[in-house]
Amino acid sequence: MSDNTTLLELKEQFYEAYSSSQNMRDQSNEEYRFITVPGAQWEGWLESDYEDRAKPQLNHVSAFCRRVHQAYLNARPQVNYSPSDEATTDEDAELLDGLYRRDLNRSGGQSSIDTAVWEQKAAGFGAVMLNTEYEDEGDPENEYQNIVFTELPCAYSTVVFDPSARRADKSDGMWVAVMTSYSEKEHERKWPNAAVESMAISDRSWFTESGNTSKNIYVATHYQVKIKATKIHTLTNPEEIDEKTGGAAIVKVDDERYQEEREDLELFGFELIRTRTVKVRNIYKTVYNGSEVLEKETRIVGKYLPVVPFYGYRAWVDGVEHYQGVVREHMDPQRVANMSFALAAEDAAHSSSDKPIFSPAQLQNPQTRAQFAGNYHQAPYFVIDDVKNSNGEVTHRGPSAILPGTAMSPIAQTVMQMAVESMQMGMGGAPQEVLDPNSSGKAITAIHDRIDMNTDMVHDNTDQSTMHMGRVYESMASETYSANPNRHMKIISDRNEAKSVTLNKTVGMAGKITSLNDISRGKFDVVVNVTKDYQTENEETFESLKEIVSVMPDTDPDRKEFLKWLFLLKEGRGIKDLQKKIRGDLITKGWLDAETDEEKQMLQQAQEQAANQPQDPNDALVAAAAKEQATAAVLNESKVAKTQAEAVRTAKQAEEIAVNTQLAMRELRQPAALNQN
């Protein structure tokens, strides 16, 4: 297939999907602008009616959206892996957890996800992309690669998924395109021999009052899933033992490798068990602009599309996907509140007080005029001619009328009150804004919990997307971090501390060469735990442990160890070395598990020293005394048992004697009775 044919097919596929969802993208843009761009709350159906008039923004919806997002920031969902088969160990899952935390904390990974979640709530759709990059781009000898989380701002406008995908995480999608904006100079620098022609998309930049100072060139990166049917041959060797399962070694190879290495495998004693045709997923990447393919199709690591979507509220209506954030339902009440507030502001700016109306002759006296001219900002009065009869006589003295001052329209007041109440019912607010200030704390908490339940669905969608992101990462990590043997790197433990590991460490076990810390050999399930960040959780643990120590008596032998453990949780400068020493002490005493290779080596040395160290004479005397006491206790128990047995035997003999005596007396009575008869 030529590049021109590929380009035409990709562009046709892209524009068909893009145009079918253009309406939703425009609505997401309007929703996002509503809470972020100054003046955007007056765009739409109020814009023309309020041209050249005051346009205040109350921003209640913006505060609500930030509050919903803060709930996510307080308890971000965390990805955790667990073994899904017997061959995968907990240590393998912990290793993958550490790799994930390491990549998430480097190169702005967490901020990329936070941006996606923010747009999920503010615009209804956000996305984050996972890809790989070389550890050192300037070193041609360094083949190590790392997984990075890439931010996709304005994903509602730049990410286009396969419209046939139905799942919220798009794991069933066959392709996705990501639009990236370049300046003309950047495009020429990156692809010097390519024509500078943009993909035609609606970025709505014409909304910006300043306009675009430079032309944006949009380039599409297309990711495609290709499924290939492949024969997989399973072989076993009864003479070799798998160190994990304890059974015969099992090897699985594809058909191409099997045909090439068949003789060698048979020579080493491997026997064919079965052959099965499986479907292998691969991901291919193509880059193109409006006129040509810039980077030809190449395979990338992983088996899932590397773009993970985050939806707000999502539903399918008449076969069309609809989505929205937490803002859209409150936009109209916010507009009405702004409009009412603007009317009130205009009335206040042009307001006047009541004015009496006099005839000019009534204000001839300067002292009288001064009484009514005290307000220098407004006209104090109006004058009219005297009212006279046919004879020229004045028939009216004093104000002929009172000109009432301006007041806010009662309708405007009612509309504003209804708009504010509507927003408060749906979004909540500060207790003094929503609730009776005399309500109890429990009542306030209960009402806010009920209001926040409206957004629980959005938080659940965040958890589902995070779970899929964990699957995407695992499929990429199994290739990326298994490509090089004996790779030394730092991972992040669950205590947010760096830990040194060696990936694919080559060792000799059971007379053969094998590798350790190879995550490509494991199978994992993804679990999402909604937990607080390490620092917050650490502070809560510190306070809880401090309460426990406060109630422990001084004579408790474990109190000293609890105090050491408490010191480990304390945050402060200059105490790391002391904490390291205390941690080592607790590890040697069995209070904590050794995690790093250094701690494991320290524990082993401590155990060897304890085993080889000569026993203290005092300890020997104490041990001998304890042994003697134990022996005496055993003898006492034996004597007691013997005494109890003799007592039981004596009681039993006495019972038998009593029974025999009663029988003998009965026999003696029977003949005497016969003689009397």
Side-chain angles (χ1 to χ4, degrees):
M1 182 182 294
S2 66
D3 289 346
N4 290 335
T5 304
T6 301
L7 178 64
L8 291 175
E9 291 180 353
L10 292 177
K11 290 177 65 175
E12 181 181 359
Q13 188 181 57
F14 171 82
Y15 284 123
E16 182 180 358
Y18 190 88
S19 59
S20 65
S21 57
Q22 183 63 47
N23 183 47
M24 288 305 306
R25 299 177 192 279
D26 290 343
Q27 291 184 37
S28 291
N29 180 275
E30 182 182 11
E31 188 175 3
Y32 197 24
R33 289 176 58 84
F34 192 84
I35 64 169
T36 55
V37 179
Q41 293 186 9
W42 289 90
E43 294 172 353
W45 51 274
L46 284 175
E47 188 171 8
S48 59
D49 294 336
Y50 276 76
E51 187 175 358
D52 298 329
R53 297 175 64 178
K55 298 178 181 178
Q57 293 187 174
L58 301 180
N59 287 329
H60 293 311
V61 179
S62 304
F64 170 66
C65 189
R66 289 192 292 269
R67 192 182 85 190
V68 175
H69 188 63
Q70 186 61 46
Y72 154 80
L73 295 176
N74 291 339
R76 290 185 178 96
Q78 304 292 329
V79 170
N80 292 101
Y81 296 95
S82 61
S84 63
D85 62 6
E86 295 181 355
T88 306
T89 64
D90 292 336
E91 288 75 16
D92 296 331
E94 291 177 2
L95 174 61
L96 187 55
D97 284 339
L99 289 170
Y100 180 87
R101 284 189 289 265
R102 176 244 188 193
D103 290 333
L104 187 65
N105 291 337
R106 60 186 297 274
S107 302
Q110 186 60 63
S111 64
S112 301
I113 299 175
D114 291 346
T115 298
V117 176
W118 168 250
E119 293 188 3
Q120 169 204 29
K121 295 173 175 60
F125 181 84
V128 64
M129 182 167 65
L130 284 75
N131 49 22
T132 58
E133 64 178 13
Y134 282 101
E135 190 171 69
D136 188 353
E137 295 284 354
D139 185 2
E141 301 298 326
N142 191 343
E143 296 294 328
Y144 293 156
Q145 295 190 55
N146 297 311
I147 299 175
V148 294
F149 295 78
T150 305
E151 185 175 283
L152 295 176
C154 299
Y156 58 85
S157 178
T158 59
V159 176
V160 183
F161 271 101
D162 177 7
S164 64
R166 292 295 181 266
R167 296 179 181 174
D169 56 18
K170 300 301 182 184
S171 59
D172 57 339
M174 299 303 294
W175 64 270
V176 64
V178 179
M179 309 300 294
T180 306
S181 175
Y182 296 92
S183 65
E184 293 186 6
K185 291 184 178 180
E186 181 64 17
H187 188 283
E188 292 174 354
R189 185 196 67 79
K190 195 172 182 64
W191 299 284
N193 299 321
V196 181
E197 184 173 344
S198 176
M199 290 289 292
I201 70 168
S202 174
D203 61 356
R204 298 174 69 91
S205 59
W206 52 273
F207 264 108
T208 305
E209 294 180 2
S210 60
N212 278 342
T213 58
S214 62
K215 183 180 179 181
N216 291 330
I217 308 299
Y218 282 94
V219 174
T221 304
H222 185 91
Y223 299 95
Q224 179 83 37
V225 178
K226 292 190 176 182
I227 300 177
K228 180 181 179 181
T230 304
K231 289 184 178 180
I232 299 296
H233 302 278
T234 303
L235 303 96
T236 184
N237 189 343
E239 298 181 359
E240 293 193 15
I241 304 300
D242 189 291
E243 68 274 9
K244 285 190 174 183
T245 63
I250 295 178
V251 176
K252 296 182 179 181
V253 296
D254 57 29
D255 189 62
E256 182 179 357
R257 179 184 171 189
Y258 178 71
Q259 298 301 334
E260 293 177 355
E261 304 178 2
R262 181 173 182 178
E263 295 181 358
D264 293 337
L265 291 170
E266 293 177 351
L267 181 63
F268 283 100
F270 282 92
E271 301 175 357
L272 180 65
I273 300 177
R274 61 181 177 274
T275 299
R276 179 185 173 190
T277 300
V278 298
K279 294 181 178 180
V280 179
R281 291 170 58 99
N282 290 313
I283 309 298
Y284 291 85
K285 168 186 172 184
T286 307
V287 181
Y288 60 95
N289 65 6
S291 62
E292 61 183 292
V293 174
L294 303 175
E295 298 177 14
K296 294 184 178 181
E297 183 179 85
T298 56
R299 183 186 176 274
I300 63 173
V301 298
K303 60 181 181 179
Y304 297 101
L305 294 174
V307 180
V308 180
F310 287 78
Y311 282 95
Y313 300 103
R314 174 179 175 270
W316 285 84
V317 182
D318 298 330
V320 179
E321 186 179 41
H322 291 261
Y323 52 85
Q324 66 182 54
V326 301
V327 175
R328 190 171 304 172
E329 294 179 350
H330 308 292
M331 290 169 60
D332 284 345
Q334 180 70 80
R335 287 188 175 113
V336 173
N338 291 344
M339 178 190 69
S340 303
F341 191 78
L343 291 175
E346 289 179 349
D347 288 344
H350 300 89
S351 64
S352 61
S353 58
D354 294 349
K355 295 182 176 65
I357 301 176
F358 297 98
S359 66
Q362 291 179 296
L363 297 172
Q364 293 294 329
N365 190 329
Q367 294 180 354
T368 304
R369 285 200 304 270
Q371 294 178 5
F372 293 95
N375 188 343
Y376 298 101
H377 302 287
Q378 299 180 8
Y381 55 84
F382 295 107
V383 296
I384 60 173
D385 294 336
D386 291 335
V387 179
K388 300 180 180 180
N389 58 16
S390 57
N391 298 326
E393 297 175 348
V394 177
T395 61
H396 183 74
R397 299 287 184 184
S400 60
I402 298 295
L403 182 65
T406 57
M408 184 177 179
S409 169
I411 297 179
Q413 294 179 0
T414 303
V415 170
M416 185 173 185
Q417 182 180 358
M418 292 172 60
V420 173
E421 289 178 354
S422 176
M423 287 189 293
Q424 289 178 342
M425 289 176 62
M427 301 185 304
Q432 63 270 20
E433 297 173 356
V434 184
L435 307 172
D436 181 359
N438 295 323
S439 298
S440 65
K442 291 184 178 180
I444 293 175
T445 302
I447 292 180
H448 277 288
D449 289 343
R450 187 176 70 243
I451 293 172
D452 291 339
M453 286 177 64
N454 295 332
T455 59
D456 283 351
M457 184 183 299
V458 179
H459 295 307
D460 184 68
N461 290 342
T462 304
D463 296 344
Q464 297 299 322
S465 296
T466 303
M467 181 179 294
H468 180 60
M469 185 166 57
R471 288 191 291 265
V472 174
Y473 180 88
E474 185 271 329
S475 70
M476 298 176 68
S478 63
E479 294 187 53
T480 303
Y481 297 125
S482 299
N484 308 98
N486 299 316
R487 178 179 177 180
H488 302 283
M489 64 190 309
K490 297 280 189 180
I491 64 175
I492 305 299
S493 69
D494 58 354
R495 296 187 292 112
N496 206 27
E497 296 179 354
K499 177 182 176 182
S500 299
V501 296
T502 301
L503 299 180
N504 310 316
K505 184 177 181 180
T506 303
V507 296
M509 294 181 62
K512 66 176 182 178
I513 302 298
T514 186
S515 62
L516 300 178
N517 296 335
D518 184 3
I519 60 175
S520 65
R521 302 171 62 182
K523 294 183 178 180
F524 306 91
D525 291 327
V526 183
V527 180
V528 174
N529 297 325
V530 180
T531 58
K532 299 179 180 179
D533 57 39
Y534 175 77
Q535 184 175 0
T536 303
E537 189 175 6
N538 190 67
E539 292 174 355
E540 292 182 354
T541 304
F542 179 84
E543 294 298 327
S544 299
L545 191 59
K546 186 168 66 173
E547 292 179 2
I548 294 174
V549 173
S550 65
V551 298
M552 294 180 68
D554 295 338
T555 56
D556 193 317
D558 293 334
R559 192 174 191 274
K560 183 178 179 181
E561 312 305 329
F562 270 88
L563 288 173
K564 292 181 180 179
W565 194 7
L566 188 64
F567 188 79
L568 284 181
L569 300 175
K570 185 65 178 177
E571 296 290 337
R573 298 180 58 184
I575 62 175
K576 292 296 183 182
D577 293 338
L578 183 57
Q579 287 180 329
K580 183 178 180 181
K581 182 179 182 303
I582 292 176
R583 178 173 173 80
D585 185 36
L586 292 176
I587 290 175
T588 56
K589 293 181 179 180
W591 279 74
L592 294 176
D593 294 331
E595 295 183 356
T596 64
D597 294 338
E598 181 183 359
E599 291 176 348
K600 293 178 181 178
Q601 184 178 4
M602 177 197 65
L603 178 61
Q604 183 178 0
Q605 291 176 354
Q607 292 173 344
E608 292 175 353
Q609 291 177 0
N612 298 329
Q613 187 175 2
Q615 191 174 15
D616 189 285
N618 294 328
D619 294 339
L621 290 175
V622 173
K627 184 176 181 180
E628 183 178 356
Q629 290 179 358
T631 304
V634 171
L635 292 175
N636 289 335
E637 291 179 359
S638 177
K639 291 179 179 179
V640 171
K642 183 176 180 181
T643 302
Q644 291 177 346
E646 291 178 352
V648 170
R649 186 165 50 253
T650 302
K652 187 175 181 180
Q653 291 176 352
E655 183 179 0
E656 291 178 353
I657 293 172
V659 171
N660 293 333
T661 302
Q662 291 180 0
L663 292 175
M665 292 180 65
R666 184 179 300 176
E667 291 176 355
L668 292 174
R669 293 193 191 101
Q670 287 179 354
L674 293 174
N675 293 332
Q676 292 178 359
N677 294 333

